Amino acid sequence: MPTLILKTRINAPREKCFDLSRSLDLHTESMKGHKEKAIGGKLTGLIGSGEQVTWQARHFGINFKMTNKITAMKKPFYFVDEMLNGPFKVLHHQHHFTAAGAGTEMTDIFTFRSPMGLIGRIIDSLFLKRYLNRLLTIRNQAIKSVAELP
């Protein structure tokens, strides 16, 4: 199963980074290019443990819906979201926050698998892994930009 690991250094306190990572409003803003918006469950604010959100977005010219749930959380150290319904066979996203000097190291561990067996695995390796890495990088840069504002 493909796994992405991204580390982002942010010059802001861990608690601030943790909360910005749970902000549905910031997520929506960072994914405007894909017309991503919350359409079900928790719609705005900070998503919490046990809460769900259904996203609608456009990727590869196709409209998608995906429902994710926060399945684990220990504030301000980590939280996990997992896809309940959507385009993937598996989607599991761990968000970790470690104090690093006066700032924070934010680590994403993002595991996914496309449906359709062998064809899905080929799609994952040929381009989906790179595409998802770019989406996570865009999201993390948005968190970093807001977190580092004075």
Side-chain angles (χ1 to χ4, degrees), residues 1-4 66-69 71 80-94 109-117 120-121 124 128-129 132 136:
M1 202 162 3
T3 298
L4 303 170
M66 178 169 66
T67 301
N68 287 21
K69 180 178 182 178
T71 57
V80 176
D81 67 90
E82 297 183 65
M83 187 191 77
L84 300 177
N85 296 302
F88 294 95
K89 184 173 183 178
V90 174
L91 189 149
H92 184 267
H93 188 178
Q94 299 175 50
I109 303 171
F110 187 90
T111 304
F112 69 98
R113 176 180 292 150
S114 293
M116 301 186 308
R121 287 193 298 276
D124 290 347
L128 196 53
K129 187 173 181 179
L132 292 171
L136 287 173

Side-chain angles (χ1 to χ4, degrees), residues 40-106:
K42 179 116 174 139
L43 300 176
T44 63
L46 302 181
I47 194 161
S49 184
E51 293 183 316
Q52 298 179 32
V53 59
T54 298
W55 296 104
Q56 179 177 297
R58 187 166 183 84
H59 297 277
F60 310 112
I62 302 168
N63 290 324
F64 290 95
K65 287 183 184 176
M66 178 169 66
T67 301
N68 287 21
K69 180 178 182 178
I70 303 300
T71 57
M73 180 181 290
K74 184 173 181 186
K75 189 175 182 178
F77 304 101
Y78 69 88
F79 69 95
V80 176
D81 67 90
E82 297 183 65
M83 187 191 77
L84 300 177
N85 296 302
F88 294 95
K89 184 173 183 178
V90 174
L91 189 149
H92 184 267
H93 188 178
Q94 299 175 50
H95 309 254
H96 296 271
F97 305 86
T98 306
T104 302
E105 183 176 81
M106 183 172 71

Side-chain angles (χ1 to χ4, degrees), residues 16 22-23 34-35 39 54 79 93 108 117-118 134 142 150:
K16 185 175 188 178
R22 298 184 302 123
S23 170
H34 299 284
K35 300 178 182 174
I39 61 167
T54 298
F79 69 95
H93 188 178
D108 291 273
L118 178 60
R134 189 173 70 228

